[in-house]
Amino acid sequence: MEAIEVPADATPPRRRRVARTVGLIAVAAVLGLVGGTAVGYGIQADREPTPLPALNQPGLAYPKPLPAGQKPAALPASEDRKVKTDGDLRKLLVPKPAGSKKTEFGDDDGWVTVPQYADEFNSPGSALSNELERGIRRIASTSWQTGKYRITSIRLVQYRSNDELGAQEHAEGQMDYMPDEDYARSDGEAIKGSANGRYYVFPVERKAGYLDLYEARAYFYRGDVVAEIFITDTKKISAADIRSLAEKQLGRL
């Protein structure tokens, strides 16, 4: 291609002209800003200082202080979580659905001892030691069977109120390994209404000579109580099944 000669006195490209124009506008804006700032300081200097509000403003206190000698009314039992959880913990468990059957290894009285609970872990000795350090107090339990093989179990694990965050540590410890290969392989889904709970639907487990195994779990804690929910079946468990059960149990705490 033949080169095109450009005369030495040719008009500069438009892009340079625009850049120069923008530069001039920017300089003008800066000068205007400096001038306006100087005028503003001058006006403020001529004004009387505005007094600051008083530091002590009792009218902003919330809730408003009661008259001398009066005490706030106690919460009704229905609103006082301490009353609920210090009572019979078994009453806070989701009731068994109508038509359900007792499981083979169900807990007759609704309580599980701490050693029995530790035996359910892969390393019972370590589990028992950890739970005692966290201040485990008691475990309420319920379980039922629906259909031919579906079994549902719920545990409410309560910890003592001390400087150990037993319920939080236990729940978070259980949820930490849910993404592992041998478990749910996912981070699960949040439980509506809970700031910390999650539910999980496990991949199907197949083994030659055995029925398919499906599993779902949910974990959350509220105050000093951890809820653990398990569903197992030989047929698929929907996310709605474990989610709705978790929401019902959360509502009772």
Side-chain angles (χ1 to χ4, degrees), residues 55-66:
L55 295 176
N56 182 18
Q57 300 185 55
L60 298 179
Y62 182 83
K64 292 198 177 291
L66 294 172

Side-chain angles (χ1 to χ4, degrees), residues 160-242:
R160 292 182 176 85
S161 298
N162 51 33
D163 56 348
E164 297 290 336
L165 301 175
Q168 179 179 343
E169 289 180 2
H170 178 80
E172 290 178 351
Q174 298 305 299
M175 290 187 282
D176 277 349
Y177 65 78
M178 284 297 102
D180 292 357
E181 182 71 19
D182 292 337
Y183 295 91
R185 304 180 195 172
S186 76
D187 293 325
E189 299 291 338
I191 299 172
K192 184 179 179 181
S194 170
N196 52 65
R198 304 192 76 79
Y199 64 89
Y200 307 84
V201 178
F202 287 43
V204 60
E205 182 179 327
R206 291 190 169 98
K207 190 175 182 181
Y210 293 86
L211 295 171
D212 292 347
L213 176 63
Y214 293 86
E215 184 175 359
R217 297 189 190 184
Y219 295 97
F220 65 85
Y221 65 91
R222 175 167 282 184
D224 57 5
V225 177
V226 177
E228 305 177 332
I229 304 173
F230 306 85
I231 303 177
T232 59
D233 202 347
T234 58
K235 297 180 179 179
K236 187 175 182 180
I237 302 169
S238 70
D241 289 345
I242 184 67

Side-chain angles (χ1 to χ4, degrees), residues 78-172:
S78 59
E79 298 179 16
D80 191 339
R81 288 196 61 257
K82 192 67 174 175
V83 171
K84 292 170 67 176
T85 57
D86 275 353
D88 190 340
L89 197 61
R90 297 172 297 179
K91 293 182 179 180
L92 300 183
L93 288 161
V94 169
K96 299 177 181 179
S100 61
K101 296 179 289 185
K102 182 180 177 181
T103 59
E104 182 179 355
F105 302 102
D107 310 301
D108 292 331
D109 62 356
W111 295 110
V112 176
T113 67
V114 175
Q116 287 173 334
Y117 180 68
D119 278 342
E120 298 178 2
F121 290 80
N122 292 337
S123 301
S126 297
L128 179 60
S129 177
N130 289 337
E131 292 305 310
L132 291 175
E133 286 181 6
R134 289 173 180 154
I136 192 169
R137 176 181 172 189
R138 55 182 179 166
I139 306 107
S141 172
T142 186
S143 60
W144 62 83
Q145 181 176 341
T146 50
K148 192 172 183 180
Y149 294 110
R150 177 166 293 200
I151 294 177
T152 301
S153 302
I154 303 177
R155 298 275 197 271
L156 296 183
V157 187
Q158 187 173 32
Y159 293 81
R160 292 182 176 85
S161 298
N162 51 33
D163 56 348
E164 297 290 336
L165 301 175
Q168 179 179 343
E169 289 180 2
H170 178 80
E172 290 178 351

Side-chain angles (χ1 to χ4, degrees), residues 10-69:
T11 304
R14 184 180 297 273
R15 187 173 177 181
R16 291 185 182 178
R17 188 181 303 163
V18 172
R20 183 168 180 273
T21 303
V22 171
L24 292 173
I25 293 174
V27 171
V30 171
L31 292 174
L33 178 62
V34 173
T37 303
V39 172
Y41 275 120
I43 294 173
Q44 289 293 333
D46 293 336
R47 288 179 177 172
E48 290 294 328
T50 303
L52 295 173
L55 295 176
N56 182 18
Q57 300 185 55
L60 298 179
Y62 182 83
K64 292 198 177 291
L66 294 172

